Amino acid sequence: VVKAAQDQATPLQPVTNEVVPDRIRQSFSMRIEYDVVFTHDAFDPANPVLLETLSAREPARQHRVLAILDQGVDAAWPETRGWLRAYFQRHAERLRLVAEPLLMVGGEASKNAPALIDWIHGELHRHHVDRHSFVVVIGGGGVQDAAGYAAATAHRGIRTVRMPTTVLSQNDSGVGVKNGINAFGAKNFVGTFVAPYAVINDLRFLDRLPRRERVAGMAEAVKVALIRDGAFFTWLEENAAALAAGEPSATATMIRRCAELHLRHIATGGDPFERGSARPLDFGHWAAHKLEAMTAHELRHGEAVAIGLLLDSRYSRELGLLPEGDLARIERLLAALGLPRWHDALTSPGPDGRPAVLAGLDEFREHLGGELTITLLRGLGHAVEVHEVREPLVLRAVAWLRERRPAP
Ligand SMILES: NC(=O)c1ccc[n+]([C@@H]2O[C@H](COP(=O)([O-])OP(=O)(O)OC[C@H]3O[C@@H](n4cnc5c(N)ncnc54)[C@H](O)[C@@H]3O)[C@@H](O)[C@H]2O)c1
Ligand SMILES: [Zn+2]
């Protein structure tokens, strides 16, 4: 008999050495709710989003905030620190910055230096940032992942408001429930699942994002369209020229839809913290993660995802799952958006002479834990899970990509 912990306490009973185990089943669930807000000029003192986000639940208090700022954002937008100061001054009754923003190196470097986590922990301690304070992280996916991990592990979790500043972090990584840093050469080896307190996507920050970063981030939109939403795929095709040119309204529409599909998957996919082995949002990612590591992150995450999803689309074709015409549309869309479809690392040999990228499958399985589960396509917007990968067919898919690589 399993007693439920939430029932009234039973009369105190001696614990005996009976063979039948005496068990109390603990059981509760927690509702997780957070807003993902899309706005422009979040630090304009007249823009209420940040103020409301930080103070809505306890409007009578003054809220203490430590900001962490991506150095790449600081360089592209030197105004940011002044904006922050002015915003908090204007709303001084409700908000207080406990220190100047912490400047953190941007990009993958932020996830490759464990000393940065210690440093943030030290600053949180020094400025008495407690569980009733906030950390506000302004930056790309790298800084979000690393600073988010630091905040999640101080005091067992400090409330974190993410302000993602790249296409990729606004449409994908910044709206979800994961953080992490790299270790032992493995991506995201150390990290936690935790929901942000809120996400504020300030589209203005994208105006000065380098083209390469902007384009790379669109790979996640192609990915989520392919696994979830055929109509969105068609929309991406129709708007590819505007998106490639960085036209703001098309970009904003793309980000909003991609974030929405991502959020919906987390909320309704039945496995928000990825306890199972299936990871549809990681379509194309087994090769992508390996290619990023093999190129020492010269290949941007989104670029590697573009190559990885074309590879898995072709592999789906090799298996006879995906119609030829759909494959051609995927390839055309990636090209129209300016995304790469090949990298020489795909054929670099590993220690055993086989292409090193194949080891990505084993690493992917290990990261998921348990059974290998790879997402493939049987149409645009239609994903299927498979548990076996046939290496000769993967190699044929690699050869197909290679034949079509752009001339150097
Ligand atoms: N947690 C997750 O669920 C998840 C999901 C997907 C990807 N990721 C991670 O996200 C990371 C990639 O993030 P990313 O693509 O956002 O890029 P990034 O964080 O690597 O940033 C790229 C560069 O752009 C700079 N930058 C950031 N915002 C800028 C702006 N507005 N203007 C000018 N420069 C700016 C940064 O300083 C950096 O140099 C990878 O580490 C990837 O693993 C995490
Ligand atoms: Zn990704």
Side-chain angles (χ1 to χ4, degrees), residues 376-396:
L376 296 178
L377 299 178
R378 57 182 174 76
L380 305 172
H382 299 284
V384 277
E385 308 288 342
V386 302
H387 300 290
E388 172 210 34
V389 175
R390 288 153 65 182
E391 207 176 291
L393 294 189
V394 177
L395 294 177
R396 274 170 56 175

Side-chain angles (χ1 to χ4, degrees), residues 70 72-73 107-108 111 140-142 145 165-166 173 178 187 205 300:
D70 186 320
V73 177
E108 208 63 29
K111 298 175 63 170
D145 271 1
T165 56
T166 61
S173 69
K178 296 189 275 186
K187 259 196 83 107
F205 278 113
R300 311 287 311 120

Side-chain angles (χ1 to χ4, degrees), residues 168 172-173 220 223 281-283 285 288-289 292 301-302 305:
L168 187 125
D172 183 287
S173 69
E220 302 283 8
K223 171 201 76 181
L281 289 178
D282 274 352
F283 174 54
H285 278 55
H289 283 157
E292 284 183 78
H301 177 73
V305 168

